């Protein structure tokens, strides 16, 4: 408990030092320091609980704790005390990612205990799976018998070092844990463990594995059934896409297929990335009390998180806007949770405009939702420019001949630049975009959620303009914009 008290005290004493520049309004962040992956996402005792990888002491990764926040609607969050701190020999160097399960009104967290075993930090470490529980959903007790899945249960075909991020589920009468792993040759894979009582576990099988091109380590697995399919999610590390410089190093993907719990195998028939932007990693899902499957991810990316660090902001990291997942013919669709709509204010509306060059909208902003439907008509290229000032802009464009959507942040302000391209077919001859802008983030939902592009940008405060543009003539059938006002609503 001492480490938790210490962390909470430190946060209390230091949170005023967080710089407001780039802080988000309707996305969850840490109060001070560093956050990465979402953890233990669950609806428990009347509220959504979202835990997260947290170094409360500095805006850099290290000795991660589990931060904890709650929300009634997935938009306005309230911070609770730190839930887990690295304070036992089996987790002394970090409480790594994991998941939550409600077992007879007790909230269980299964996480990875991380320990350095020697001086070489890239090689000398150990990862085991541990459990903690809480009666009130706030104060957690670690089990005396931790780790519940130790090194002795790692099969010979798996790395005995990289073994982390358990997704704990109940299936029928049994408990299962999907665990991120790599094989001895450096291919990402997911291992499956089974238990009758959460305490005694045995190894079942390699559930799924990279085919040689899908990354050398699979982190943060997730599993769910939706419609008539099963879905397995993994965050792949160092995926070989065959392209240069136009993709992330680490890509979360989903597999559509069929899970066999008897043998512990997942037969995949399809896979696709979960996001097509720059900043989306380690997604985790929950089935809520309304029957919705909701996903949230870290809205940053390893290797490119440095912007608020180097700018001395005393904080790093945020979560995406939670997304509701639905499925059509085995493909996933993503929609921002509906709850965000109740924070809309100041509606701005245009319709049936013929656009043949650039048009500046008579509205501006840095925290809003924009919904637009383009009829491409005679245009070769058209799109939107957001966060525009004399020197900055973030550009979303659609190239008709190539049928690709391009997100460009070369002139977005501070921070990393670059472009992401993704093929998009028009939907009923239209391109429909729904964009969520929040200070230093953009989340773009394309054609009713067929694809999403998520990116962090760091524009100057003057960059609030919004423009439409076209090469050739296109029709803006409708455009709606609302400011999103969440402050003051914290539960
Ligand atoms: C993914 C990850 C997990 C690990 C955690 C450590 O971003 O590397 O595999 O549990 O972060 O903070």
């Amino acid at each position: 408990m001492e480490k938790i008290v210490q962390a909470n005290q430190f946060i209390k004493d230091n949170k005023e030092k967080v710089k407001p520049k780039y802080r988000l309004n309707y996305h969850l962040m840490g109060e001070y320091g560093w956050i990465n992956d979402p953890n233990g996402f669950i609806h428990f005792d009347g509220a959504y609980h979202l835990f997260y990888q947290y170094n409360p002491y500095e805006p850099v990764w290290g000795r991660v704790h589990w931060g904890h926040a709650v929300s009634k609607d997935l938009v306005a969050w309230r911070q609770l005390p730190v839930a887990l701190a690295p304070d036992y020999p089996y987790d002394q160097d970090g409480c790594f990612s994991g998941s939550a399960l409600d077992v007879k009104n007790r909230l269980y967290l299964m996480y990875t205990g991380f320990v350095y075993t020697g001086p070489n930090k890239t090689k000398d470490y150990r990862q085991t799976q541990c459990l903690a529980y809480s009666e009130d959903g706030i104060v957690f007790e670690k089990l005396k018998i931790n780790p519940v899945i130790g090194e002795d249960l790692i099969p010979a075909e798996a790395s005995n070092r990289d073994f982390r991020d358990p997704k704990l589920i109940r299936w029928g009468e049994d408990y299962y844990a999907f665990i991120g792993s790599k094989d001895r040759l450096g291919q990402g894979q997911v291992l499956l463990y089974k238990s009758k009582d959460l305490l005694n576990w045995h190894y079942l099988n390699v559930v799924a594995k990279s085919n040689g091109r899908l990354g050398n380590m699979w982190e943060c697995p997730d599993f769910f059934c939706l419609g008539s399919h099963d879905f397995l999610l993994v965050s792949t590390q160092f995926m070989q896409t065959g392209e240069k410089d136009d993709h992330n190093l680490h890509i979360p993907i989903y597999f559509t297929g069929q899970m066999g719990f008897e043998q512990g195998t997942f037969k995949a028939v399809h896979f696709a990335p979960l996001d097509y932007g720059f900043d989306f990693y380690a997604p985790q899902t929950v089935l809520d009390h309304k029957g919705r499957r909701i996903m949230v991810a870290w809205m940053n990316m390893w290797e490119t998180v440095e912007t608020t660090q180097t700018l001395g902001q005393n904080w790093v990291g945020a979560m995406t806007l939670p997304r509701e997942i639905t499925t059509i013919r085995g493909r996933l669709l993503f929609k921002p949770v509906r709850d965000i709509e109740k924070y809309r204010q100041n509606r701005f509306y245009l319709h049936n405009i013929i656009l043949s060059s650039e048009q500046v909208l008579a509205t501006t902003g840095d925290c809003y939702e924009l919904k637009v439907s383009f009829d491409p008509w005679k245009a070769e290229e058209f799109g939107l420019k957001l966060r525009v000032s004399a020197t900055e802009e973030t550009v979303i464009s659609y190239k008709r001949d190539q049928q690709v959507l391009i997100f460009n942040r070369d002139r977005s302000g501070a921070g990393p630049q670059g472009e992401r391209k993704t093929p998009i077919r028009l939907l009923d001859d239209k391109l429909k975009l729904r964009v969520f802008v929040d200070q230093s983030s953009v989340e773009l939902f394309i054609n009713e959620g067929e694809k999403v592009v998520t990116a962090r940008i760091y524009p100057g405060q003057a960059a609030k303009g919004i423009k439409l543009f076209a090469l050739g003539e296109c029709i803006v059938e409708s455009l709606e914009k609302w400011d999103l006002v969440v402050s003051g609503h914290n539960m």
Side-chain angles (χ1 to χ4, degrees), residues 85-96:
D87 50 9
Y88 278 89
Y90 55 79
D91 64 9
Q92 66 189 17
D93 294 307
C95 298
F96 274 20

Side-chain angles (χ1 to χ4, degrees), residues 36-37 53 61 64 96-97 164-165 219-220 281 302:
N36 57 292
D37 313 357
Q53 290 286 280
W61 184 86
V64 272
F96 274 20
S97 286
R164 56 183 179 268
D165 313 335
E219 301 185 314
C220 303
Y281 198 69
W302 295 111

